[in-house]
């Protein structure tokens, strides 16, 4: 199989990285390490790349039941994920462009962040292929058609049977991100990966995952039916010797009633959530408007001062009255000699306090303040408009959900009115002590549940029979690959752990499962290892699996949001050594790390040097918080230490 190898990432109008309207990142060979402070968007960058390739953002809430269900249910999450990371004014124009290769084919793919099943541009070149097409981002039909063409081409070039398989491998095998999902200890997800990695062609792997999903679902339904049969039997035992009330349950009516009630509950929750969002959006508008008004008041005050730089004392009402009528407005005396007062006024001296008055004059500082306020007013107006647009969007969404809620509520009310007699009889039946008919109903329920249990088990066994040949084939191909794959894993894991590990593929009732042993002790549960051991052994497994999957002349590429916070000082260097060993075997890493004193990055930089490692400093991408800005000298110090190791100095790493 072949997988996308990303060479270049171009981000346009991605609001989180607001220091630049356009960010262009060249990934190169070996290691691309994105370093920065907490909260600047390092993890987001990995999600952007996976989104560019697949149109999907992985969510920790979305579980793997089947590959097709995971893809379908994950599509809406991208809009939720990027809202907040992209401002309202940038929603339509923000986009990502990836340049990547798949074997002999070169791709350029451009996506908007709120159209996961659409492309804005597709360029593909290689043997027998020459595609170069751009569509308007408002033309959803053309964008969807271009995305379908992209899926067809990339399946052909990767050798996979379904686009969903690429999404799964990209999210659950090739990426270790902030979800901290552990492939080793998730038997369901690992089973999907094993079918794809070891020997089975992509079509068979897809069949195996679908059959296993159906067998698991039927097994669950059989357990539920057995529980219902047992519950009916227990109810019957409690009802023996009690009298009865005639009542026959209508399963269709019950199902309709339950469906309407469930829909109403779901929409009621959605209304509450969207109302909270609208409240927040309205508050944001009020805050923005208040801030804009305060700026306007200050601007008008300064502007007025420049128009009226100062008044002579003769313009004051009391002084004017004294000079014109010789009458004092303070004590009421008349016939006052005003000569002295007039002399003081003519000399620009206050006649009351004898203070010399200097006429106010324009100054550059006042004018510069007016210019600054003018720029702030423009930005403030733009901010107000953005918040108002967000409020309008959320209010519209709230209105739509409320309409849906009212419609379902009306449907439920009509249903209960139309079936009031049945519902009242059911209530009476449930409350009545005369329950002999309920005993018969329990017997019927028990018999029906038992019949369904047996049917579910029969159909489950049919799928298991289909799976058995594929499971045997997987065991055989794994046995052949074991001599190559297991040493890859052992060398990487030993570089980190410093202990001997073994790996065995066990055939269990629900399918094959990898089991790791450390110094002869099986570790079947994740809590049998420390946090750092779990994380980095799982990363070692991903490295070995990805390396095994690709052709010998092609590099494997992993995307790692480094869990360096789980490491103590003894293991930081060992983790860097493990990463370095993977890269010096001809593979690639796209990783994130914090700018701190961790030896992991220093060790890796010393091992790879500049020939195999590029470090991108992310503190220039976004606006630093007050805390981060105060610590910028410390960031500089950490970055310079990494640079020293890349240049062959410093204290991290050894020669490859």
């Amino acid at each position: 199989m072949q997988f996308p190898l990303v060479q270049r990432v171009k981000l346009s109008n991605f609001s989180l990285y607001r220091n630049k309207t356009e960010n262009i990142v060249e990934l190169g060979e070996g290691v691309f390490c994105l370093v920065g402070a907490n909260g600047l968007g390092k993890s987001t960058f990995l999600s952007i790349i996976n989104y560019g390739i697949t149109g999907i953002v992985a969510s920790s809430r979305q579980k793997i039941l089947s590959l097709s269900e995971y893809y379908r249910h994950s599509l809406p999450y991208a809009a939720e994920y990027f809202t907040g990371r992209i401002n309202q004014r940038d929603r339509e124009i923000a986009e990502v462009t990836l340049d990547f290769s798949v074997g002999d084919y070169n791709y350029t793919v451009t996506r908007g962040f709120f159209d996961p099943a659409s492309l804005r541009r597709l360029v593909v070149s290689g043997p027998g292929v020459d595609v170069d097409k751009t569509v308007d981002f408002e033309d959803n039909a053309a964008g969807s058609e271009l995305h379908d063409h992209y899926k067809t081409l990339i399946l052909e070039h990767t050798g996979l049977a379904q686009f969903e398989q690429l999404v799964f491998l990209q999210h659950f095998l090739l990426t270790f991100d902030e979800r901290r999902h552990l492939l080793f200890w998730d038997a369901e997800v690992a089973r999907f990966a094993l079918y794809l990695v070891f020997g089975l062609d992509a079509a068979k792997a897809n069949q195996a995952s679908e059959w296993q999903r159906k067998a698991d679902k039927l097994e669950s339904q059989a357990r539920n039916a057995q529980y219902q049969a047992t519950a009916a039997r227990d109810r019957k035992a409690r009802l023996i010797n009690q009298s009865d009330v005639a009542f026959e349950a209508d399963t269709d009516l019950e199902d309709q009633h339950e469906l309407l009630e469930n829909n109403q509950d779901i929409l009621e929750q959605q209304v509450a959530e969207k109302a909270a969002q609208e409240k927040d959006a309205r508050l944001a508008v009020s805050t923005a408007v208040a801030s804009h008004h305060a700026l306007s008041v200050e601007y008008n005050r300064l502007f007025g001062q420049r128009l009226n730089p100062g008044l002579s004392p003769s313009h004051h009402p009391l002084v004017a009255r004294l000079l014109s009528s010789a009458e004092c407005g303070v004590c009421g005396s008349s016939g006052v000699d005003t000569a002295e007062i007039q002399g003081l006024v003519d000399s620009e001296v206050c006649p009351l306090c004898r203070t010399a008055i200097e006429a106010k004059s324009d100054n550059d500082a006042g004018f510069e303040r007016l210019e600054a306020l003018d720029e702030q007013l423009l930005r403030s107006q733009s901010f107000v408009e953005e918040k108002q647009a967000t409020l309008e969007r959320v209010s519209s969404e709230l209105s739509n959900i409320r309409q849906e809620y009212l419609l379902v509520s009306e449907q439920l009310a009509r249903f209960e009115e139309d079936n009031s007699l049945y519902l009242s009889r059911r209530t009476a039946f449930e409350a009545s002590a005369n329950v002999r008919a309920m005993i018969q109903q329990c017997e019927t329920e028990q018999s029906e549940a038992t019949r369904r249990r047996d049917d579910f088990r029969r159909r489950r066994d049919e799928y298991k029979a289909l799976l058995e040949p594929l499971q045997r084939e997987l065991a055989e191909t794994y046995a052949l690959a074991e001599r190559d794959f297991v040493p890859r894993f052992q060398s990487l894991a030993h570089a980190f752990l410093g202990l001997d590990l073994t790996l065995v593929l066990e055939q269990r009732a629900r399918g094959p499962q990898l089991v790791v042993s450390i110094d002869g002790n099986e570790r079947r549960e994740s809590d049998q290892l420390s946090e750092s051991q779990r994380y980095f052994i799982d990363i070692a497994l991903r490295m070995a699996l990805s390396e095994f999957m690709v052709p010998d002349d092609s590099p494997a590429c992993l995307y790692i949001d480094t869990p360096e916070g789980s490491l103590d000082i003894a293991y930081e260097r060992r983790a860097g050594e493990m990463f370095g060993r993977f890269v010096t075997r001809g593979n690639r890493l796209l990783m994130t790390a914090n700018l701190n004193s961790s030896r992991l990055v220093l060790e890796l930089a010393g091992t790879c040097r500049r020939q195999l490692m590029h470090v991108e400093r992310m503190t220039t991408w976004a606006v630093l918080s007050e805390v981060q800005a105060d610590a910028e000298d410390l960031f500089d110090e950490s970055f310079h230490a990494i640079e020293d190791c890349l240049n062959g100095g410093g204290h991290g790493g050894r020669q490859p």
Side-chain angles (χ1 to χ4, degrees):
M1 297 180 188
Q2 299 277 9
F3 294 99
L5 292 174
V6 181
Q7 285 92 29
R8 185 173 182 266
V9 182
K10 176 183 175 183
L11 286 170
S12 301
N13 302 294
F14 194 81
S15 313
L16 180 62
Y17 308 141
R18 57 184 177 272
N19 274 0
K20 298 180 180 179
T21 303
E22 188 173 88
N23 285 277
I24 298 176
V25 180
E26 304 286 347
L27 302 186
E29 303 292 330
V31 181
F32 176 86
C33 183
L34 187 63
V35 296
N38 291 329
L40 293 185
K42 300 188 300 297
S43 301
T44 300
F45 186 71
L46 294 185
S47 297
I48 289 171
I49 291 179
N50 273 333
Y51 173 77
I53 295 171
T54 67
I56 299 294
V57 175
S59 168
S60 58
R61 303 195 303 263
Q62 186 60 49
K63 305 301 180 185
I64 282 280
L65 299 175
S66 74
L67 303 191
S68 58
E69 288 180 32
Y70 174 77
Y71 179 76
R72 185 172 64 255
H73 294 161
S74 297
L75 275 172
Y77 179 66
E80 179 182 341
Y81 181 83
F82 289 118
T83 296
R85 290 171 168 85
I86 297 175
N87 294 335
Q88 177 69 30
R89 64 174 176 270
D90 294 330
R91 283 176 72 92
E92 290 187 348
I93 59 175
E95 60 186 26
V96 57
T97 298
L98 298 184
D99 292 330
F100 60 87
S101 62
V102 181
D104 295 330
Y105 297 89
N106 295 314
Y107 282 71
T108 297
V109 173
T110 299
R111 291 183 187 272
F113 286 99
F114 298 93
D115 301 300
S118 178
L119 290 185
R120 297 181 178 181
R121 188 180 183 213
L122 175 63
V123 179
V124 185
S125 61
V129 177
D130 185 9
V131 176
D132 188 345
K133 188 168 184 181
T134 301
V135 300
D136 190 277
F137 70 85
E138 295 181 342
D139 192 342
N140 293 327
S144 298
E145 183 179 343
L146 194 59
H147 189 261
D148 290 339
H149 189 39
Y150 164 69
K151 292 196 294 184
T152 300
L153 290 173
I154 204 167
L155 287 181
E156 179 182 342
H157 299 155
T158 56
L160 296 169
Q162 284 186 320
F163 189 70
E164 289 85 345
Q165 291 177 344
L166 175 63
V167 173
F168 166 76
L169 290 170
Q170 198 71 31
H171 286 188
F172 287 90
L173 175 60
L174 302 178
T175 301
F176 186 87
D177 56 19
E178 59 186 346
R179 293 172 297 161
R180 302 295 186 252
H181 176 267
L182 298 175
L183 183 64
F184 237 133
W185 292 277
D186 187 334
E188 305 296 327
V189 175
R191 188 165 60 239
F192 288 134
L194 290 175
Y195 279 125
L196 286 168
V197 173
F198 293 108
L200 298 184
D201 65 51
K204 284 185 178 180
N206 184 60
Q207 284 183 325
S209 66
E210 290 298 322
W211 290 342
Q212 187 67 58
R213 163 67 177 143
K214 290 175 181 177
D216 291 344
K217 186 174 182 180
L218 288 166
E219 174 64 28
S220 175
Q221 290 172 323
R223 288 196 300 269
N224 290 339
Q226 178 60 56
Y227 173 82
Q228 292 165 4
T230 302
R233 182 198 63 195
D234 293 343
R235 287 201 309 274
K236 182 178 71 173
R238 292 194 297 268
L239 292 169
I240 295 297
N241 297 325
Q242 296 183 20
S243 57
D244 61 88
V245 167
F247 176 79
E248 182 177 358
D250 187 327
T251 304
D252 289 338
L253 280 180
E254 295 287 352
D255 290 344
Q256 293 177 44
H257 193 215
E258 182 181 2
L259 178 62
L260 287 170
E261 287 182 325
N262 288 342
N263 288 344
Q264 186 187 49
D265 291 342
I266 292 171
L267 286 169
E268 184 176 13
Q269 182 180 357
Q270 291 178 351
V271 167
E273 292 173 351
K274 191 58 69 174
Q277 293 179 18
E278 197 229 22
K279 181 180 178 182
D280 292 341
R282 197 173 297 280
L283 177 60
V285 169
S286 299
T287 303
V289 169
S291 176
H292 185 74
H293 177 70
L295 289 171
S296 298
V297 169
E298 185 178 2
Y299 182 92
N300 291 335
R301 180 181 62 79
L302 288 176
F303 190 81
Q305 287 179 355
R306 291 183 62 80
L307 291 178
N308 299 283
L311 295 175
S312 169
S314 63
H315 294 121
H316 193 282
L318 290 176
V319 177
R321 176 180 175 185
L322 180 62
L323 293 176
S324 62
S325 62
E327 183 178 325
C328 181
V330 178
C331 65
S333 299
S334 57
V336 178
D337 183 1
T338 62
E340 182 182 1
I341 300 299
Q342 184 65 57
L344 290 170
V345 169
D346 293 342
S347 301
E348 295 292 337
V349 175
C350 175
L352 292 179
C353 66
R354 299 298 196 270
T355 300
I357 298 172
E358 295 181 4
K360 296 179 181 177
S361 60
D362 293 348
N363 59 78
D364 292 339
F367 186 76
E368 289 174 358
R369 178 58 180 157
L370 274 176
E371 286 186 321
L373 283 172
D374 188 62
E375 292 179 358
Q376 291 178 36
L377 280 169
L378 288 175
R379 291 196 298 270
S380 176
Q381 180 62 35
S382 176
F383 187 71
V384 168
E385 291 171 356
E386 178 187 341
K387 295 305 177 185
Q388 287 173 336
T390 300
L391 174 59
E392 290 172 4
R393 174 175 60 82
V394 174
S395 297
S396 175
E397 292 170 354
L398 175 60
S399 176
N400 292 336
I401 294 175
R402 279 177 171 160
Q403 288 296 324
E404 291 182 49
Y405 174 78
L406 290 175
L407 180 61
V408 170
S409 298
E410 291 171 0
Q411 291 173 345
L412 177 60
R414 286 197 302 271
F415 179 90
E416 291 179 342
E417 181 180 354
D418 294 341
N419 298 280
S420 58
L421 180 60
Y422 171 83
L423 295 174
S424 64
R425 284 179 177 174
R426 185 186 67 178
T427 302
F429 170 78
E430 291 170 347
S432 174
N434 197 358
V435 292
R436 188 172 301 277
M438 294 174 64
I439 296 174
Q440 183 177 0
Q441 180 67 22
C442 287
E443 291 173 345
T444 302
E445 288 180 6
Q446 182 181 359
S447 176
E448 175 61 19
T450 301
R451 183 197 64 76
R452 287 188 289 107
R453 178 204 64 191
D454 294 341
D455 182 58
F456 289 141
R457 287 177 176 174
R458 176 186 59 77
R459 292 162 57 198
R460 175 206 62 190
D461 291 341
E462 290 175 355
Y463 283 111
K464 284 189 172 182
L466 292 172
L467 278 168
E468 284 179 3
L470 296 181
Q471 291 173 350
R472 286 196 301 270
E473 184 179 346
L474 175 61
E476 293 168 358
T477 55
Y478 179 83
L480 294 173
E482 194 172 18
R483 286 174 293 181
D484 180 25
F485 163 69
V486 173
R488 294 174 188 262
F489 167 71
Q490 288 174 324
S491 68
L492 291 166
H494 188 274
F496 170 72
L497 202 57
L499 298 172
D500 292 329
L501 292 87
T502 58
L503 200 60
V504 177
L505 182 69
E506 289 189 352
Q507 292 294 340
R508 310 191 71 185
R510 299 190 64 183
Q513 181 176 347
L514 285 174
V515 178
V516 65
S517 296
I518 301 177
D519 278 349
N521 297 313
E522 292 181 346
R523 306 299 173 94
R524 295 181 179 274
E525 303 297 331
S526 61
D527 57 10
Q528 293 177 309
L529 295 165
S530 70
E531 182 180 60
S532 63
Q533 288 175 334
R534 291 197 301 268
Y535 289 164
F536 283 89
I537 289 176
D538 204 71
I539 291 172
L541 174 66
R542 295 163 189 265
M543 288 177 170
L545 288 172
S546 61
E547 197 175 41
F548 180 80
M549 288 182 73
V550 300
D552 291 338
D553 58 349
S554 296
C557 181
L558 254 63
Y559 305 81
I560 299 178
D561 190 4
T562 310
E564 54 197 332
S566 67
L567 295 169
D568 58 35
I569 192 170
Y571 281 101
E572 287 178 345
R573 183 181 61 79
R574 302 299 295 256
E577 183 179 339
M578 183 181 85
F579 284 12
R581 184 167 298 187
F582 178 71
V583 172
T584 54
R585 294 206 303 226
N587 300 305
R588 297 184 184 180
L589 277 180
L590 199 163
M591 58 180 285
T592 68
N594 282 323
L595 271 173
N596 55 29
S597 59
S598 168
R599 291 186 60 86
L600 189 158
V601 177
L602 297 176
E603 175 72 20
L604 186 56
T607 299
C608 297
R609 305 289 174 83
R610 289 200 181 276
Q611 294 89 340
L612 287 177
M613 186 170 182
H614 171 73
V615 178
E616 177 77 15
R617 182 172 177 174
M618 200 179 196
T619 51
T620 61
W621 289 22
V623 177
L624 300 181
S625 67
E626 181 180 343
V627 173
Q628 292 165 343
D630 289 342
E632 199 158 9
D633 289 344
L634 298 177
F635 293 152
D636 291 340
E637 182 180 333
S638 295
F639 188 74
H640 291 326
I642 297 171
E643 289 283 303
D644 286 344
C645 291
L646 289 172
N647 292 327
H651 58 277
R654 294 180 294 277
Q655 289 285 358

